[in-house]
Amino acid sequence: MKIKKDEIPDKVKKIIRVFQKAKIELFVVGGSSRGLLTKHRIEDWDFATNATPKQILALFPKNSFYQNKFGTVSVVMGKNKNDILEITTYRTEGRYSDKRRPDQVRWGKTIEEDLSRRDLTINAIAINFEIRNSKSEIRKIVDPSGGREDLKKKIIRAVGDPDQRFKEDSLRLLRAVRIATQLGFIIEPNTFKSIEKNAGLIEKIAWERIQVEIFKLLSSKHPADGLLMLFNSGLLQHLMPELIQGRGVDQAKHHIHDVWTHAIETLRFCDSKNPVTRLAALLHDIGKPVVVQGEGEDRSFHNHEVVGAAIAKKIGLRLRLSNKQLDKLWRLVRWHQFAPDENLTDAAIRRFIRRVGKENLDDILSIRTGDRVGSGVPKTSWRTDLFKKRLVEVQKQPFSVADLKVSGNDVMEILEIGPGPEVGRILKQLFEEVEEDKERNKRKYLMERIKKLEG
Ligand code: ATP
Ligand code: MG
């Protein structure tokens, strides 16, 4: 396998050079050595060394810090998040007291020792570089568990005994599925069987760590296939059991799939890259199995978007989404059922924009695209296209209480009342009436209306 030299950014070369000068061993490991051997973009660089955290800090006195007790030193090489590079002292892991974190981390002596406690063979490859005249050359590749061979065969395999590895740290169950999804690899049968067997252990893992993996899976190129793998491995049952309720729940005419398959297919064809939007696509019909009534042609799912929004929020809370992400998820599920009718008034379109939120309009349209293609109908329709145009147009004509042909002063004079919430209430009522029909925005008409709105 060849490595393109220009794939190593300057910030990485600088780090390698510092270690080279100090004559201390340093390897590129983890996702970055894996990425160097495949065509995948490397987002974050991981390094391993036999230097202790103290020694690493001394190598970068001005721009490094030590955050945790696991031997990882962060070196700041620029302003962005990706410019923080992590260097970890070789580890060897002893006993494990629970399924969350190793209870004991000891420094390892050799890179081989360090690689043996890593999760997957393709993540247990270490590459040592030498920088000469600002060019990088490979000096050594250490690959004790056949990671390169598995990369070639596109196989995900646990390092060592899978049962033992998944029991030591059960997040590895999910990492295996996430990385298989990202790379489009197949999980080797023994490892897969072990995931099925140990799937329940994922419940011991902190949801914050689970969220990281789920978001990486959702952000990958083939998130729908990832979800199917999560289901087939038995992990989904422990993460989002609500989704599985949709299996075998058939839908009325217009739909070719059951609720479960429709959820997967909507995710597949949702054309947003945002992981929260993709999660909303997956969960948009999550209320259907709860509210389903009737059979065959008479089947209905009344209120499923209301019930579904509440369930989606519960799932979002479980996954430790931020308040902002939760709000987005809730709105997208709550309002996904809009009908892009050509006869909608401007007011109705404005109401829709207010409910969904301007910043979420593209997202809800992406979910609609997924929803349509995932139901076996064309990507769009003339009505949907018209609706999209009107969403843009309506926003170009700002219309607020200030545009009414009467003011708060008029209200106070006519009703002989002083300033207070009543004035605002009446203006809001008038505004809503005018929004429904712009013809009503005439001074004389509104003055008459004010008299009638008293009390
Ligand atoms: P990404 O490209 O998303 O960063 P990654 O494989 O680099 O993927 P990291 O979380 O950055 O994932 O971890 C770096 C490396 O540390 C992994 O490749 C693996 O070798 C090791 N590692 C991470 N988590 C575990 C774990 N739970 N058990 C064992 N080894 C792990
Ligand atoms: Mg990484």
Side-chain angles (χ1 to χ4, degrees):
M1 275 182 224
K2 270 228 147 115
I3 292 177
K4 274 203 268 143
K5 290 185 185 130
D6 56 8
E7 277 179 65
I8 298 180
D10 285 343
K11 60 187 181 190
V12 173
K13 284 187 190 155
K14 274 186 199 157
I15 295 216
I16 296 176
R17 202 181 293 118
V18 170
F19 276 78
Q20 189 174 310
K21 271 197 181 153
K23 296 200 166 42
I24 300 177
E25 195 170 87
L26 179 78
F27 283 91
V28 170
V29 288
S32 34
S33 56
R34 185 181 76 215
L36 282 169
L37 295 165
T38 54
K39 292 267 143 40
H40 289 87
R41 246 180 74 110
I42 303 167
E43 299 284 348
D44 92 317
W45 289 81
D46 307 302
F47 303 90
T49 177
N50 60 358
T52 61
K54 233 178 165 178
Q55 287 172 298
I56 306 172
L57 289 170
L59 287 177
F60 304 92
K62 291 202 186 107
N63 57 337
S64 66
F65 59 95
Y66 185 38
Q67 264 184 336
N68 58 37
K69 58 180 166 99
F70 300 112
T72 301
V73 172
S74 302
V75 185
V76 185
M77 299 298 286
K79 286 189 197 121
N80 298 322
K81 204 177 127 222
N82 282 349
D83 293 334
I84 298 181
L85 305 184
E86 300 199 322
I87 306 177
T88 308
T89 306
Y90 296 157
R91 295 181 213 169
T92 163
E93 275 163 359
R95 292 173 295 110
Y96 288 81
S97 60
D98 60 19
K99 304 288 171 296
R100 288 162 202 241
R101 293 273 186 189
D103 62 358
Q104 214 183 341
V105 179
R106 283 179 281 136
W107 303 156
K109 293 205 171 51
T110 61
I111 183 70
E112 284 81 4
E113 204 176 344
D114 180 87
L115 293 175
S116 72
R117 58 98 204 163
R118 292 181 181 264
D119 53 357
L120 309 171
T121 60
I122 59 162
N123 283 349
I125 307 170
I127 308 179
N128 176 251
F129 287 93
E130 185 177 336
I131 307 288
R132 249 192 260 153
N133 305 326
S134 25
K135 289 208 172 103
S136 56
E137 266 175 41
I138 297 180
R139 271 233 315 254
K140 198 171 168 191
I141 299 186
V142 185
D143 176 18
S145 47
R148 277 173 299 179
E149 194 58 30
D150 285 345
L151 268 183
K152 235 191 260 166
K153 291 198 213 140
K154 297 184 186 286
I155 282 178
I156 299 290
R157 185 199 310 269
V159 172
D161 173 38
D163 277 352
Q164 191 195 332
R165 305 320 306 284
F166 292 136
K167 280 184 183 136
E168 283 166 3
D169 177 0
S170 310
L171 185 70
R172 292 171 185 161
L173 297 157
L174 189 52
R175 284 179 53 88
V177 173
R178 182 265 284 186
I179 294 173
T181 305
Q182 281 180 322
L183 301 177
F185 281 21
I186 281 178
I187 303 179
E188 172 272 327
N190 257 333
T191 302
F192 193 78
K193 268 187 224 139
S194 178
I195 298 178
E196 283 181 301
K197 194 167 126 195
N198 295 300
L201 297 179
I202 197 70
E203 293 195 7
K204 302 256 197 278
I205 298 297
W207 284 102
E208 287 78 3
R209 294 179 80 199
I210 292 177
Q211 191 216 95
V212 172
E213 299 301 325
I214 300 257
F215 269 41
K216 281 185 177 177
L217 182 148
L218 284 172
S219 306
S220 72
K221 254 198 190 147
H222 302 291
D225 297 330
L227 253 294
L228 289 175
M229 220 187 300
L230 276 183
F231 173 69
N232 291 328
S233 63
L235 284 167
L236 192 63
Q237 175 65 40
H238 303 280
L239 304 173
M240 296 182 225
E242 297 89 343
L243 261 177
I244 298 174
Q245 301 297 312
R247 279 175 65 79
V249 178
D250 288 326
Q251 311 199 61
K253 40 190 181 186
H254 310 314
H255 278 279
I256 50 175
H257 299 304
D258 67 358
V259 172
W260 153 257
T261 305
H262 174 64
I264 300 291
E265 294 309 297
T266 302
L267 170 63
R268 191 188 304 282
F269 296 109
C270 165
D271 58 8
S272 162
K273 288 199 160 61
N274 183 322
V276 176
T277 309
R278 289 182 173 193
L279 182 62
L282 178 68
L283 300 181
H284 78 285
D285 277 348
I286 197 82
K288 280 190 170 174
V290 180
V291 301
V292 60
Q293 269 182 337
E295 286 297 334
E297 295 292 290
D298 293 328
R299 187 147 260 204
S300 70
F301 299 97
H302 189 59
N303 248 0
H304 78 271
E305 66 278 20
V306 179
V307 174
I311 301 174
K313 188 169 173 191
K314 208 175 109 199
I315 295 174
L317 279 167
R318 185 188 304 154
L319 286 174
R320 304 290 189 266
L321 264 56
S322 68
N323 287 339
K324 207 173 152 206
Q325 292 171 323
L326 273 178
D327 176 69
K328 187 182 185 96
L329 179 68
W330 185 88
R331 286 180 191 239
L332 291 175
V333 175
R334 175 64 185 85
W335 303 113
H336 81 267
Q337 189 71 352
F338 66 93
D341 192 310
E342 70 274 27
N343 295 319
L344 285 177
T345 60
D346 281 3
I349 292 197
R350 273 201 191 88
R351 202 177 311 126
F352 175 77
I353 296 174
R354 266 199 310 275
R355 285 170 169 170
V356 175
K358 268 186 197 159
E359 67 285 9
N360 299 323
L361 288 175
D362 284 343
D363 307 87
I364 209 158
L365 293 170
S366 288
I367 294 175
R368 175 53 59 93
T369 302
D371 199 352
R372 290 182 60 95
V373 184
S375 309
V377 300
K379 203 171 165 181
T380 189
S381 66
W382 67 266
R383 278 199 180 86
T384 311
D385 286 342
L386 180 67
F387 183 71
K388 284 184 194 168
K389 267 194 206 132
R390 291 191 62 202
L391 283 177
V392 178
E393 275 162 21
V394 157
Q395 291 185 77
K396 281 187 199 150
Q397 354 163 326
F399 183 69
S400 70
V401 175
D403 298 312
L404 283 178
K405 297 285 187 230
V406 288
S407 68
N409 279 334
D410 295 322
V411 175
M412 290 190 280
E413 259 172 43
I414 293 170
L415 301 180
E416 296 177 352
I417 56 172
E422 179 69 0
V423 181
R425 194 188 62 76
I426 289 174
L427 281 177
K428 190 165 169 268
Q429 172 72 34
L430 292 177
F431 173 72
E432 278 168 15
E433 290 179 16
V434 169
E435 238 195 345
E436 291 296 335
D437 178 3
K438 289 280 161 54
E439 287 303 304
R440 293 174 182 159
N441 197 12
K442 303 222 167 69
R443 192 164 166 80
K444 199 169 153 222
Y445 169 84
L446 291 175
M447 303 283 255
E448 287 303 311
R449 275 299 288 152
I450 291 171
K451 286 178 200 158
K452 293 199 183 107
L453 282 175
E454 186 183 8

